[in-house]
Amino acid sequence: MLDRRSQKNKATSYHLGQLKAKLAKLRRELIAPSSGGGGGGGLGFDVARTGVASVGFVGFPSVGKSTLMSKLTGTHSEVSEIDFTTLTTVPGTLKVHGAPIQILDLLARTCNLIFIVLDVLKPLGDKKLIEAELEGFGIRLNKKPPSIIVKKKDKGGIAITNTVPLTNIDQDEIKAVLSEYKMSNADVTIREPNATADDLVDVIEGNRVYIPAIYIDAISIEELDLLYKIPNSVPISSKEWLNVDELIESMWEALDLVRVYTKPRGQSPDYSAPVVLRRGKCTVEDFCNAIHKEIVKQMKYAIVWGSSAKHARGQKVGLEHVLEDEDVVHISKK
């Protein structure tokens, strides 16, 4: 164990980098699905995806996950004594602003949002334990991928470029991490402020998922102030159905979905059934494919009304045009 008072030198930096890379590789081996016949990705991971986005509930047993999920969706999951799992996963669907959202009582790396249900008697302790558990599974909560680029090359050794000061990592740590991954020739570009060796390891491993999280708990009115001190938290009472509307709105904002309404020729827009797309995959082409794959081949152009259009009277656009929430689209066929 290193003495915190000891001066950090080149040997120490290199050793620290090696240790963090070794630890990351060991964790990967522990959580990787078994290649044999008896393994798999864990209980409940084979749930069929429905809806445009999915929300997973995570928490220790008996904190009210299943109760809240049942009230939101009208479904029921049989509770297990194993942390973070259910014996049988019964996904439910909740419609929010016309968008079908899948609600799952399990932990899944494929979720678009995670609800972390805390015990109000020890919320900060539970929060710390659950976050550490998810970190071990390669899940990064309320974070974006680090702005670090690592490019392998055939020769030339290690070249490190940083556009921000290296405050939490030095060149020796970087070289140690690369060495542990047997990368002797690589270009490393760091644009991430306060980048760490763990950030570099995450980029090299390449299997991390970055998911927004909202912390919730079934509480009483007297306990509201305590929970509001936790960032990204929405205290609720599922028993009295208090503050649930705020939870649903927070979920909608975190999922960042795009609703697009269709407008047939000569008719008013159909506001009853929006085509719901994910931010980042919301072009006119994505809109067409969400309705039917053949529409892209038949489209001559599209007319768009709404936030993404340059004119209030509508704008003629092509397949690459990026749509915004509550746009209206008419497809003109060839």
Side-chain angles (χ1 to χ4, degrees):
M1 182 69 71
L2 289 168
D3 190 334
R4 292 185 181 183
R5 295 167 296 179
S6 64
Q7 185 177 356
K8 190 174 179 182
N9 55 38
K10 291 185 74 170
T12 301
S13 293
Y14 196 88
H15 185 57
L16 283 172
Q18 274 190 320
L19 287 176
K20 289 188 175 182
K22 286 179 187 289
L23 182 60
K25 291 199 291 186
L26 287 171
R27 281 176 174 163
R28 185 214 312 148
E29 291 171 9
L30 283 171
I31 66 174
S34 170
S35 57
L43 199 61
F45 275 65
D46 57 348
V47 178
R49 290 291 295 270
T50 62
V52 71
S54 59
V55 178
F57 276 67
V58 179
F60 290 108
S62 305
V63 293
K65 298 194 308 290
S66 297
T67 300
L68 178 57
M69 178 181 167
S70 297
K71 287 197 172 186
L72 285 172
T73 66
T75 58
H76 174 72
S77 291
E78 185 182 348
V79 178
S80 165
E81 290 303 313
I82 307 169
D83 294 348
F84 311 130
T85 67
T86 52
L87 293 177
T88 54
T89 298
V90 184
T93 302
L94 172 68
K95 268 210 166 183
V96 184
H97 300 307
I101 310 298
Q102 187 179 41
I103 306 293
L104 305 172
D105 191 7
L106 84 167
L107 163 62
R109 284 167 53 92
T110 56
C111 286
N112 306 112
L113 172 67
I114 293 177
F115 279 164
I116 297 178
V117 188
L118 302 174
D119 185 339
V120 73
L121 299 177
K122 45 182 175 47
L124 297 178
D126 276 11
K127 179 176 181 286
K128 187 175 180 180
L129 287 170
I130 291 171
E131 286 174 345
E133 188 81 9
L134 298 184
E135 281 272 326
F137 278 92
I139 295 172
R140 305 292 180 257
L141 301 176
N142 295 322
K143 295 178 182 177
K144 293 183 178 180
S147 186
I148 299 174
I149 300 170
V150 179
K151 288 185 178 179
K152 288 184 181 181
K153 56 186 182 182
D154 295 330
K155 56 184 178 180
I158 304 297
I160 301 168
T161 305
N162 54 293
T163 59
V164 292
L166 299 180
T167 54
N168 294 321
I169 190 174
D170 58 33
Q171 297 210 2
D172 292 307
E173 276 185 276
I174 294 171
K175 290 176 181 177
V177 170
L178 295 175
S179 174
E180 188 61 34
Y181 285 95
K182 295 180 170 53
M183 298 172 69
S184 53
N185 299 289
D187 290 331
V188 180
T189 304
I190 298 180
R191 302 191 184 99
E192 181 72 23
N194 304 312
T196 65
D198 290 323
D199 291 330
L200 177 60
V201 167
D202 282 354
V203 170
I204 294 172
E205 284 280 335
N207 62 352
R208 308 309 193 221
V209 291
Y210 297 83
I211 306 177
I214 294 174
Y215 301 87
I216 60 177
D217 195 4
I219 45 81
S220 64
I221 294 295
E222 293 78 18
E223 295 157 335
L224 273 171
D225 286 343
L226 175 64
L227 267 295
Y228 268 124
K229 292 175 183 176
I230 298 176
N232 303 302
S233 67
V234 180
I236 68 156
S237 172
S238 54
K239 185 178 179 182
E240 283 93 16
W241 210 241
L242 296 172
N243 229 29
V244 175
D245 288 344
E246 182 181 339
L247 175 66
I248 292 171
E249 283 304 310
S250 297
M251 175 178 71
W252 176 257
E253 290 173 14
L255 289 170
D256 200 15
L257 301 175
V258 176
R259 292 161 295 173
V260 183
Y261 303 105
T262 57
K263 184 188 181 305
R265 183 181 294 278
Q267 299 180 34
S268 299
D270 180 7
Y271 293 110
S272 64
V275 176
V276 185
L277 306 170
R278 292 197 54 76
R279 184 76 64 184
K281 292 201 70 175
C282 54
T283 63
V284 170
E285 183 173 3
D286 294 320
F287 167 77
C288 292
N289 286 332
I291 300 171
H292 197 285
K293 302 290 184 186
E294 291 298 313
I295 294 179
V296 170
K297 300 175 186 176
Q298 300 169 5
M299 191 186 98
K300 185 177 180 183
Y301 60 85
I303 300 175
V304 177
W305 295 265
S307 300
S308 73
K310 291 181 180 178
H311 320 290
R313 64 180 180 273
Q315 179 187 355
K316 186 185 290 188
V317 300
L319 289 171
E320 71 285 348
H321 180 82
V322 178
L323 299 165
E324 290 292 336
D325 189 35
E326 297 199 280
D327 275 359
V328 173
V329 177
H330 166 72
I331 302 296
S332 180
K333 297 184 180 179
K334 295 175 183 176

